């Protein structure tokens, strides 16, 4: 069978090439060449040649090749790129953009809003199209491929969102830095008369719209695993050590890690500044305070800031330390008073601490004897009740002068303490010296001189009608500086006499005189 073709019904017919082959005898007009696919009428007849038979000609048939819609007349400029933006960022990227690079924690939005339109779809050759959807596709090359169908599209909307997860996230580029390209196609159709019998054929055209958008998604940085947290109970003024049970791992290749301690979610704590903490064991110290009367709580988080060389950043809290800060009592220091700074051997001297107070708890008084020039409870001697030396009451220390300790006994001060979970203490505002003085031995320290009536003794008084007894303290240490008082008695107390007793109008006989000296 030979198929003949002409562009006019009564014109010159020529065999089509290639020849129609058995057994189907079908001829693909489109693949035969432009001679047979030009828009307009085409005429065909077939001739059967078989040995021993006469040639047979079929009737001439007319077929009309319709024109496909011409998209360029729609007024959409193919040179404009699609708009892109990162949907999870506060700032939207506006304007034509040929490519977009972002990190895998951001969504992607593709839009046709930047494509120039100066006409409308009604200007498409052949009439208004019956399909005006946008067909979105993803590919691996910047060259927009031709398509014969639009069956496996991503979306038909003018704007397409590719979130991080869910929705159309499966159409995102791989998060490994390998770019993907996004294309838009539009499809138009028109009905065309195909043959002389009046049957119609729908002609479909698929057009590439705009420039493709190149989107590159870089991976997020690798983050270390969490570290177990801890709880610490401290008192106001204590030092807490911020440390981790284990040293975090080293950042892998392509990522960098920077550590920060956060106090109550604030990054820059004055005690630590903003320096990276690469050595987290044994840690850093922080003095905690609580000026209130109830327990305060502070939380210290260890946060790692991770980054990649591509500029993707992320952070994660590895663990936390909760510090319960118990308040310490507030104490007003006492002042020590004493009636004297001297005590005789065998006598007592009371030192009294007064004026101390606290906002909570019960005050306990402790007494110390100084070993150096300044008070130091770690080296000074703590006073304990000792028979014959010290006795203690609530806020009073009684010191007894002891034989052999004459001179400066030492300086004493008080320390007031409030006990409990968070004890507090305060030293007295002053220190009191104690000097021990010996008692005078009167039998050895005084001389007695008498003078009698003339003729009865070698000691002759200047006035023979009088008798005189003189008691004189010895002028030798350690009794210098003492004040003496005398009390006389000659059977009955005698007043008005000092160290020299003079009796007037003596009579013969024996009289006993007694002097009590203090």
């Amino acid at each position: 069978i030979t198929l003949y073709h002409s562009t006019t019904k009564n014109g010159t017919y020529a065999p089509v090439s290639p020849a129609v082959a058995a057994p189907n005898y079908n001829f693909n007009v489109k693949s035969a060449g432009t001679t047979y696919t030009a828009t307009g009428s085409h005429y065909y007849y077939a001739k059967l040649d078989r040995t021993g038979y006469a040639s047979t000609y079929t009737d001439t048939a007319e077929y009309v090749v319709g024109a496909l819609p011409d998209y360029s007349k729609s007024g959409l400029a193919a040179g404009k790129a699609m708009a892109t933006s990162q949907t999870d960022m506060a700032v939207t990227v506006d304007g034509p953009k040929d490519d977009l690079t972002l990190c895998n924690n951001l969504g992607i939005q593709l839009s046709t809003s930047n494509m120039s339109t100066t006409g409308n779809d009604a200007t498409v050759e052949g009439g208004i199209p019956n399909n005006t959807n946008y067909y979105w596709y993803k590919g691996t090359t910047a060259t927009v491929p031709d398509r014969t169908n639009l069956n496996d599209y991503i979306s038909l909307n003018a704007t397409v969102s590719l979130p991080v997860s869910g929705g159309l996230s499966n159409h995102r580029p791989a998060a490994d830095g390998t770019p993907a390209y996004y294309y838009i196609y539009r499809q138009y159709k028109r009905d065309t008369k195909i043959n002389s019998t009046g049957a119609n054929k729908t002609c479909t055209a698929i057009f590439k719209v705009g420039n493709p958008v190149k989107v590159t998604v870089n991976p997020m940085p690798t983050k270390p695993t969490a570290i177990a947290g801890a709880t610490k109970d401290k008192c106001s003024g204590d030092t807490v050590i911020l440390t981790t049970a284990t040293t975090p791992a080293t950042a892998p290749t392509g990522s960098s890690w920077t550590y920060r301690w956060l106090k109550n979610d604030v990054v820059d704590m004055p005690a630590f500044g903003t320096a990276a903490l690469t050595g987290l064991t044994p840690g850093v110290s922080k003095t905690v305070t609580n000026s209130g009367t109830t327990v305060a709580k502070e939380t210290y988080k260890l946060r790692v800031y991770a980054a990649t060389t591509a500029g993707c950043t992320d952070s994660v809290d590895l663990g936390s330390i909760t510090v319960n800060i118990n308040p310490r009592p507030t104490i007003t220091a006492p002042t020590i008073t004493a009636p004297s700074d001297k005590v005789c051997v065998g006598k007592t001297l009371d030192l009294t601490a007064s004026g101390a107070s606290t906002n909570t708890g019960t005050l306990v008084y402790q007494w110390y004897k100084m070993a150096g020039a300044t008070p130091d409870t770690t080296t000074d001697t703590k006073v304990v009740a000792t028979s014959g030396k010290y006795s203690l009451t609530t806020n009073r220390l009684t010191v007894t002068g002891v034989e052999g300790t004459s001179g400066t006994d030492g300086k004493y001060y008080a320390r007031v303490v409030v006990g409990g979970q968070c004890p507090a203490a305060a030293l007295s505002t002053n220190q009191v010296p104690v000097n021990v003085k010996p008692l005078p031995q009167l039998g050895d320290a005084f001389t007695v001189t008498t003078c009698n009536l003339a003729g009865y003794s070698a000691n002759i008084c200047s006035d023979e009608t009088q008798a005189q007894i003189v008691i004189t303290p010895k002028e030798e240490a350690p009794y210098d500086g003492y004040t003496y008082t005398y009390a006389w008695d000659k059977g009955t107390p005698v007043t008005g006499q000092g160290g020299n007793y003079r009796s007037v109008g003596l009579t013969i006989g024996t009289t006993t005189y007694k002097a009590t000296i203090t």
Side-chain angles (χ1 to χ4, degrees):
I1 297 178
T2 304
L3 184 66
Y4 293 86
H5 167 267
S6 176
T7 56
T8 58
K9 185 173 183 179
N10 298 317
T12 301
Y13 285 80
V16 298
S17 178
V20 179
N24 296 322
Y25 304 107
N26 292 323
F27 180 73
N28 189 329
V29 174
K30 183 176 180 180
S31 64
T34 57
T35 302
Y36 313 113
T37 58
T39 301
S41 297
H42 294 258
Y43 300 87
Y44 299 88
Y45 71 87
K47 178 181 179 182
L48 173 63
D49 294 315
R50 184 176 180 183
T51 304
Y53 292 86
S55 297
T56 301
Y57 295 88
T58 63
D59 292 337
T60 300
E62 178 186 10
Y63 294 89
V64 179
V65 178
L68 292 174
D70 185 354
Y71 181 73
S72 64
K73 292 184 180 181
S74 70
L76 296 179
K80 288 287 186 179
M82 293 173 284
T84 60
S85 66
Q86 301 172 358
T87 59
D88 291 347
M89 295 186 67
V91 179
T92 301
V93 179
D94 294 323
K97 187 174 181 63
D98 292 332
D99 57 61
L100 174 67
T101 300
L102 69 156
C103 299
N104 198 36
N105 63 334
L106 299 175
I108 303 168
Q109 181 172 290
L110 307 173
S111 174
T112 60
S113 61
N114 285 352
M115 301 183 68
S116 173
T117 56
T118 56
N120 56 62
D121 290 332
T123 63
V124 175
E125 182 179 351
I128 299 175
N130 53 18
N131 187 326
T132 58
N133 291 320
Y134 293 91
Y135 292 82
W136 289 89
Y137 286 85
K138 182 179 77 171
T140 59
T141 175
T143 301
V144 183
D146 294 323
R147 297 192 64 87
T148 59
N149 64 74
L150 299 174
N151 297 331
D152 53 346
Y153 53 84
I154 296 175
S155 173
L156 297 176
N157 298 320
T159 299
V160 179
S161 295
L162 306 178
V164 176
S165 62
L168 297 176
S169 60
N170 58 311
H171 296 291
R172 291 170 61 92
D176 59 4
T178 302
Y181 295 83
Y182 292 87
Y183 323 120
I184 292 179
Y185 298 86
R186 296 193 77 176
Q187 176 177 264
Y188 295 96
K189 299 177 181 180
R190 61 176 294 181
D191 294 332
T192 303
K193 181 179 180 182
I194 296 299
N195 53 44
S196 57
T197 64
N200 290 333
K201 174 71 175 179
T202 299
C203 295
T204 301
I206 297 175
F207 297 97
K208 307 168 188 177
V209 182
N211 295 330
V213 174
K214 176 184 176 182
V215 180
T216 302
V217 177
N218 291 310
M220 297 300 291
T222 302
K223 295 175 290 188
T225 56
I227 298 173
T231 300
K232 299 177 181 290
D233 291 317
K234 294 292 181 179
C235 298
S236 181
D238 286 352
T239 297
V240 61
I241 302 298
L242 302 180
T243 184
T244 58
T246 58
T247 300
T250 303
T253 302
S255 294
S256 62
W257 294 343
T258 301
Y259 293 95
R260 298 283 189 273
W261 282 106
L262 285 74
K263 175 185 175 183
N264 299 335
D265 287 322
V266 178
V267 175
D268 295 332
M269 294 182 293
F272 307 109
T274 58
L277 303 176
T278 56
L280 300 175
T281 302
V284 293
S285 62
K286 173 72 171 66
T287 300
V288 293
T289 58
N290 179 7
S291 59
T293 57
T294 59
V295 177
K297 180 178 293 186
E298 291 181 351
T299 300
Y300 297 87
K301 292 180 180 179
L302 178 60
R303 181 171 295 176
V304 60
Y305 294 86
T308 65
T309 54
C312 294
T313 59
D314 201 358
S315 64
V316 63
D317 292 335
L318 298 185
S320 63
I321 296 176
T322 299
V323 182
N324 298 319
I325 310 171
N326 295 280
R328 288 190 186 275
T330 300
I331 299 177
T332 302
T335 300
I336 302 175
T337 58
S340 173
D341 63 351
K342 301 178 182 67
V343 61
C344 294
V345 173
K347 304 298 182 180
T348 59
L349 179 67
D350 290 334
L351 309 183
T352 303
S354 57
S357 63
T358 179
N359 63 340
T360 181
T362 302
L363 290 172
V364 175
Y365 291 79
Q366 300 172 346
W367 292 86
Y368 288 84
K369 183 178 180 180
M370 292 173 56
T374 57
D376 185 349
T377 58
T378 62
T379 57
D380 293 340
T381 301
K382 185 177 181 180
V383 176
V384 296
T386 304
S387 177
K389 177 62 177 176
Y390 299 115
S391 64
L392 300 168
T393 55
T394 303
N395 64 327
R396 180 172 297 169
L397 168 64
T398 300
V399 180
T400 300
V402 177
E403 183 70 38
T405 60
S406 60
T408 300
D409 180 54
K411 283 188 175 182
Y412 294 84
Y413 63 91
R415 178 175 182 256
V416 287
V417 177
V418 176
Q421 183 176 0
C422 296
L427 302 183
S428 59
T429 59
N430 62 328
Q431 304 87 43
V432 173
V434 174
N435 299 298
V436 177
K437 295 293 184 179
L439 292 176
Q441 302 298 319
L442 298 184
D444 297 331
F446 292 82
T447 59
V448 180
T449 303
T450 63
C451 58
N452 300 316
L453 294 175
Y456 290 90
S457 173
N459 298 315
I460 305 300
C461 296
S462 58
D463 186 348
E464 294 182 358
T465 64
Q466 299 178 5
Q468 181 173 287
I469 303 172
V470 180
I471 301 175
T472 305
K474 292 182 178 180
E475 297 299 326
E476 58 184 43
Y479 308 117
D480 293 344
Y482 279 95
T483 300
Y484 303 96
T485 59
Y486 303 85
W488 291 92
D489 185 283
K490 61 174 183 177
T492 57
V494 179
T495 60
Q497 300 292 330
N500 299 322
Y501 182 90
R502 176 173 297 185
S503 178
V504 180
L506 295 178
T507 60
I508 296 176
T510 301
T511 303
T512 301
Y513 296 85
K514 178 182 177 182
T516 301
I517 307 171
T518 303

